[in-house]
């Protein structure tokens, strides 16, 4: 029993670290979505958005063994994030070159923003949930009951890992909002990251067993992970250096 406890504790720790890594790119998406709201509403939008996302994740856990068969969910997530990225970068460029006398475009209201935060997290959810399932099923079964086709003990580990992951995203997103307020020029880099995460979901879709345009193991390969994190780091570093230079230029 002791060895089983340590196995469960170890997998939970790995899940928390994994959720922490995934929280970084998720949080950037959340931050750019709520940035336009008044400060008092930003935290509320993140809270309500992630609360709704938690309900989705919790419900989806019961059906995860069936959801994995539907590559369309990942495809929709990829399209959604790529659309957000392209639209906002275009709007930024268009706004910069627009006539200053023209009326500023209307931003999304509070509840529309909450809905966007929820949709974005749902787009990410399948990615992290699949990783959680892959880890959880390596554990010995605990108890003789099953939930959603998964052993009850394994299901509990996934649920706890998912809750901790959402908490991480919530606080990381708040930090990114503060960073975007300090360095407004970072917003373009943030939306590029959103698009790059959309590419990640597209790669997962193309490698889905029911699609197989790419090798099914490619999204989990060291090559793809190195490519993904290297490009992500390059966008973040490039955006930060550009933002710092822009701030210095403005302050002169």
């Amino acid at each position: 029993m002791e060895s089983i406890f340590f196995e469960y504790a170890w997998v939970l720790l790995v899940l928390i670290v994994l959720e922490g890594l995934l929280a970084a790119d998720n949080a950037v998406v959340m931050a750019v979505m709520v940035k336009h709201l008044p400060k008092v509403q930003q935290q509320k939008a993140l809270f309500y958005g992630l609360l709704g996302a938690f309900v989705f994740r919790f419900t989806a856990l019961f059906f995860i063994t069936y959801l994995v068969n539907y590559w369309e969910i990942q495809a929709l997530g990829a399209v959604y994030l790529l659309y957000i990225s392209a639209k906002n970068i275009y709007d930024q460029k268009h706004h910069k070159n627009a006539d200053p006398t023209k009326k500023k475009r209307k931003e999304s209201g509070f509840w529309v923003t909450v809905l966007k935060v929820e949709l974005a997290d749902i787009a990410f959810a399948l990615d992290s949930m699949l990783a959680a399932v892959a880890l959880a099923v390596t554990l010995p079964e605990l108890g003789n009951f099953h939930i959603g086709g998964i052993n009850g003990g394994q299901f509990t580990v996934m649920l706890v890992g998912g809750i901790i992951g959402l908490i991480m995203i919530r606080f990381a997103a708040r930090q990114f909002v503060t960073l975007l307020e300090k360095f407004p020029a970072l917003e373009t880099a943030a939306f590029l990251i959103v698009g790059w995460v959309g590419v990640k979901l597209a790669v997962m879709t193309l490698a889905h067993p029911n699609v197989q345009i790419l090798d099914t193991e490619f999204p989990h390969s060291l090559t793809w992970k190195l490519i993904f994190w290297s490009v992500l780091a390059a966008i973040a570093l490039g955006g930060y250096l550009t933002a710092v230079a822009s701030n210095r230029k403005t302050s002169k």
Side-chain angles (χ1 to χ4, degrees), residues 15-183:
L15 260 180
I16 290 168
V17 172
L18 179 66
E19 289 286 354
L21 289 171
L22 292 172
D25 49 23
N26 295 22
V28 173
V29 179
M30 309 301 173
V32 292
M33 285 183 170
V34 303
K35 181 180 170 285
H36 67 279
L37 293 173
K39 279 193 177 183
V40 71
Q41 290 188 343
Q42 287 174 359
Q43 295 206 35
K44 285 182 180 178
L46 287 172
F47 175 76
Y48 289 132
L50 290 175
L51 182 65
F54 169 74
V55 172
F56 168 80
R57 287 192 186 211
F58 180 73
T59 307
L61 277 176
F62 288 93
F63 305 103
I64 189 64
T65 52
Y66 310 108
L67 287 175
V68 293
N69 296 318
Y70 296 96
W71 60 268
E72 293 89 350
I73 297 173
Q74 288 174 338
L76 285 171
V79 170
Y80 178 64
L81 293 181
L82 288 167
Y83 167 75
I84 289 172
S85 175
K87 181 181 184 300
N88 282 278
I89 289 172
Y90 171 79
D91 286 347
Q92 281 180 351
K93 219 169 186 181
H94 182 71
H95 178 64
K96 193 182 281 186
N97 300 327
D99 185 344
T101 59
K102 282 187 179 179
K103 195 177 178 181
K104 190 180 176 183
R105 71 184 179 89
K106 192 179 177 184
E107 297 281 7
S108 301
F110 177 76
W111 288 110
V112 173
T113 301
V114 168
L115 179 62
K116 286 181 178 179
V117 170
E118 286 188 19
L119 289 173
D121 188 76
I122 287 169
F124 289 120
L126 203 59
D127 182 13
S128 61
M129 285 168 65
L130 287 172
V133 170
L135 279 169
V137 294
T138 63
L139 290 168
E141 294 194 357
L142 203 59
N144 56 4
F145 66 100
H146 288 72
I147 304 171
I150 298 169
N151 172 260
Q154 297 168 345
F155 180 90
T156 303
V157 168
M158 289 169 54
L159 179 62
V160 173
I163 292 170
I164 292 171
L166 283 174
I167 292 169
M168 285 180 174
I169 293 170
R170 164 68 178 78
F171 286 103
R174 181 60 223 157
Q175 295 305 312
F176 277 117
V177 170
T178 304
L179 197 62
L180 287 169
E181 286 169 352
K182 190 176 179 182
F183 300 105

Side-chain angles (χ1 to χ4, degrees), residues 203-238:
V203 166
M204 289 183 68
T205 302
L206 295 174
H208 192 280
N210 293 342
V211 179
Q212 287 192 28
I213 291 174
L214 294 175
D215 188 279
T216 53
E217 294 302 313
F218 180 68
H220 312 290
S221 67
L222 181 62
T223 302
W224 169 244
K225 285 177 182 177
L226 284 173
I227 292 170
F228 177 76
W229 289 107
S230 297
V231 172
L232 190 70
I235 295 170
L237 182 61

